Amino acid sequence: MAEHDIGPGPLPSFSGTGAPVPSLARHTHPRRSRRARTKAALLAACLGVLGTVGTAPSSAQSTPAGGPPAWHPARFVPGPCPQTPEPVPGRCGFLEVPENRERPTGRIIRLAVAIIPAASKTPAADPVVFMEGGPGGDAFGAIPFLIGSDVNRDRDLIVVAQRGTLHSQPNLACPEMDRFNATAVGLPYDAPSTGQGLVRAAKECRDRLTAEGNDLTAYNTTENAADFAALRKALGIKRWNVYGYSYGTDLGLTYLRRHPQGIRSLAIDSVVPPQVVSLPWAWDSAQEGINAIFAACEAQPACKSRYPDLSRTLTEQVRRLEANPLTLTVPPPGGGTPVKVVLDGGTLVNLLVTNGQLVPSVDVPAALYELADGNPERLARARAAGATPAIGEFAHGLTHSVACAEWVPGFSKRDVLKAGRRAFPGWPDSVLAHAPQLPFEHDLCRVWNVPDRTAVQRVATHSKVPALIITGTFDAKTGASWGPFTGRTLPRSTAVVIPGITHWVVPQNPCAASVLLSFLARPTAPDTGCVPGVEPKPFTIVP
């Protein structure tokens, strides 16, 4: 597939001549709360929806995975970095691309791009481009954690706010859904009335976004991947390395499949395989991650003695709370005005699936036994954190445009329930009927109304490009076993499983970070020698 540089104007240099960026301290669990605070504070003004912007004409491109050739007009326009809680330590600009490449003469959108220089005075010529998770997450909010993990030690780091996300134009945020989610902490998780409220908020957001001229059918992984291919050429980069986590792995694998040119290596962290991701799949990952926490407790004598038979305890508490939900008034974790919280079975399960964002994994056994002993305070305070979301930060519009087109089709509500029953037999059907993290998604997708894209997206990536696959055993969002599974079609891949780590492994674990850096230096022979020495941290033991 031939590709061509597009667009006028000076392009940023990747020679590493800028002032080196000092490396931040490597992130450990205590800094994860700092990440939550940082991301919650990202209330920079959205840049708004723009109309058509002129671009230079491009040459035609074809996609190796099939489908009709498409024109990809694109250009990079240098500009100021967005205002973020921690200033971006580099230079920035916008990538201008068609909103819908099937309508190349239509509206142009702008993706915010940050180029962070390597810390080394003699950087490698091939930079690292980062793919944020979500879909809909704030890529710029991840910059401190990427620098803290030394991802830019030897190479320039390129961070892209994906189409529709914070700092790009348009921003498909849904304040309507943020506000509903804030009130939902005081509602039963899986009650039909809760689902109706969620769907109403989603419809309000969709109606507003479409009235503003946004083509929601264009916010999908195919277009997202094409944006990255366009950026590489617009920046004049011959080869680069791709690093993505969570949804960013779905995106990275799609990018490798459809646009393999110029990819030196692919690193994927907390893997979402595009060929299998679906609502039922979420139950498999939840089972694997939660059971891994319980097995690790069993392997630590103090935890085993204090918290025996955690699986049975969890089942008992899910059943008890679903039959008789608890209503409490508690202050959020950071303090402030107490809020009403409802704890039912669905709430409990989803608190565990948040992978330490609300209830640290080391606290899970203690939290379950406290709950069984009549003390739900730890869990209630964690749930109360949802009462103060950052309004307009997360791009729910991208989330549901992707999920409803690529993850939901082909599987019924009955399929989700069956998967839940297989994963957690004995739990109430009212809990198991909803995929973790995406409750009522079938109902929501009916009003979101985007076309089924599974035929082009639910496809495995086969490639001989060197790949690093990193997963964590405690990950209940994207189960650890999906990493080696994905590696079956990547013959030059190295799969690394890090014990005791949850979602997005590299910023949490120095060993994983060192493996990533060695991979970037030697993609076909990364140094994984530290992995056998990694063990889960001791669990919290309360009297």
Side-chain angles (χ1 to χ4, degrees):
M1 178 177 70
E3 293 181 303
H4 306 273
D5 289 324
I6 302 165
L11 299 178
S13 168
F14 284 86
S15 62
T17 56
V21 179
S23 175
L24 303 180
R26 197 179 295 282
H27 293 275
T28 56
H29 265 300
R31 297 202 66 177
R32 297 180 71 227
S33 61
R34 180 172 175 268
R35 178 175 188 263
R37 292 194 302 270
T38 298
K39 296 196 71 138
L42 284 171
L43 297 175
C46 301
L47 296 173
V49 179
L50 73 158
T52 302
V53 178
T55 60
S58 76
S59 299
Q61 292 181 317
S62 62
T63 52
W71 292 82
H72 293 241
R75 66 175 182 175
F76 179 81
V77 180
C81 292
Q83 296 297 311
T84 55
E86 296 187 32
V88 176
R91 53 199 184 277
C92 298
F94 284 100
L95 177 71
E96 297 179 346
V97 295
E99 182 177 47
N100 189 332
R101 287 175 171 84
E102 295 181 359
R103 303 185 184 98
T105 60
R107 192 173 71 156
I108 299 300
I109 61 174
R110 309 179 85 195
L111 281 59
V113 179
I115 302 163
I116 300 158
S120 171
K121 294 181 179 179
T122 57
D126 43 275
V128 179
V129 63
F130 174 67
M131 294 182 171
E132 170 67 27
D138 168 26
F140 277 61
I143 290 174
F145 305 94
L146 296 167
I147 295 175
S149 300
D150 291 338
V151 176
N152 71 318
R153 187 186 69 182
D154 303 313
R155 287 167 170 78
D156 289 353
L157 170 65
I158 303 171
V159 175
V160 182
Q162 296 167 26
R163 55 173 49 215
T165 65
L166 186 66
H167 305 307
S168 288
Q169 304 173 6
N171 174 11
L172 301 187
C174 288
E176 302 90 343
M177 297 187 72
D178 291 330
R179 288 189 286 267
F180 174 79
N181 290 336
T183 65
V185 301
L187 302 174
Y189 182 85
D190 46 36
S193 57
T194 302
Q196 292 163 9
L198 175 65
V199 171
R200 278 195 303 271
K203 186 177 186 304
E204 289 173 6
C205 179
R206 187 195 191 284
D207 290 347
R208 176 181 54 78
L209 291 176
T210 54
E212 291 170 352
N214 299 295
D215 178 4
L216 296 182
T217 68
Y219 292 84
N220 58 63
T221 306
T222 300
E223 293 280 9
N224 208 347
D227 293 340
F228 281 82
L231 178 64
R232 182 182 69 82
K233 295 305 297 179
L235 293 177
I237 299 170
K238 182 178 180 181
R239 293 199 308 168
W240 64 9
N241 307 276
V242 179
Y243 170 50
Y245 88 97
S246 195
Y247 167 70
T249 70
D250 186 347
L251 174 58
L253 289 162
T254 301
Y255 174 47
L256 177 60
R257 175 170 61 87
R258 297 182 67 91
H259 307 277
Q261 293 84 358
I263 301 178
R264 175 177 177 263
S265 70
L266 171 70
I268 49 177
D269 180 335
S270 307
V271 182
V272 179
Q275 67 268 38
V276 297
V277 61
S278 63
L279 296 186
W281 172 85
W283 277 122
D284 295 329
S285 291
Q287 177 197 44
E288 183 175 3
I290 291 171
N291 285 351
I293 293 173
F294 293 171
C297 176
E298 181 81 8
Q300 294 181 14
C303 191
K304 178 180 179 180
S305 175
R306 179 65 181 85
Y307 309 119
D309 205 353
L310 282 166
S311 181
R312 177 182 58 81
T313 301
L314 175 59
T315 295
E316 290 175 350
Q317 296 312 304
V318 169
R319 292 174 64 88
R320 180 175 69 87
L321 288 178
E322 193 67 4
N324 297 288
L326 298 176
T327 301
L328 306 95
T329 301
V330 296
T337 303
V339 298
K340 175 187 173 184
V341 167
V342 171
L343 289 180
D344 59 7
T347 300
L348 174 58
V349 173
N350 279 270
L351 285 172
L352 299 186
V353 173
T354 57
N355 280 287
Q357 293 170 329
L358 300 175
V359 182
S361 296
V362 294
D363 290 349
V364 165
L368 289 176
Y369 264 73
E370 287 172 343
L371 177 64
D373 290 339
N375 178 14
E377 184 77 11
R378 190 191 301 263
L379 292 168
R381 286 177 66 90
R383 177 60 171 156
T388 54
I391 304 296
E393 174 188 313
F394 193 83
H396 297 282
L398 180 60
T399 304
H400 298 295
S401 293
V402 169
C404 294
E406 302 172 14
W407 301 351
V408 171
F411 295 95
S412 65
K413 291 182 179 181
R414 183 70 180 173
D415 293 326
V416 175
L417 178 59
K418 282 182 171 180
R421 286 172 173 171
R422 286 194 304 269
F424 296 102
W427 285 16
D429 283 355
S430 56
V431 172
L432 301 176
H434 301 282
Q437 304 180 82
L438 290 170
F440 303 101
E441 192 67 11
H442 281 96
D443 300 327
L444 190 157
C445 287
R446 277 196 291 273
V447 303
W448 202 259
N449 192 27
V450 289
D452 181 344
R453 295 188 52 79
T454 55
V456 296
Q457 182 57 29
R458 204 171 278 165
V459 182
T461 297
H462 296 257
S463 175
K464 293 183 180 179
V465 168
L468 175 65
I469 304 169
I470 304 176
T471 55
T473 59
F474 285 3
D475 189 349
K477 291 185 178 181
T478 59
S481 65
W482 294 109
F485 169 86
T486 302
R488 294 177 185 176
T489 59
L490 303 172
R492 300 179 74 193
S493 63
T494 301
V496 173
V497 180
I498 305 294
I501 301 298
T502 59
H503 203 60
W504 196 14
V505 178
V506 164
Q508 298 184 62
N509 185 262
C511 173
S514 71
V515 171
L516 174 60
L517 291 178
S518 73
F519 170 76
L520 293 172
R522 298 177 301 279
T524 58
D527 182 0
T528 62
C530 63
V531 176
V534 179
E535 295 183 357
K537 294 181 179 180
F539 287 92
T540 300
I541 307 296
V542 296

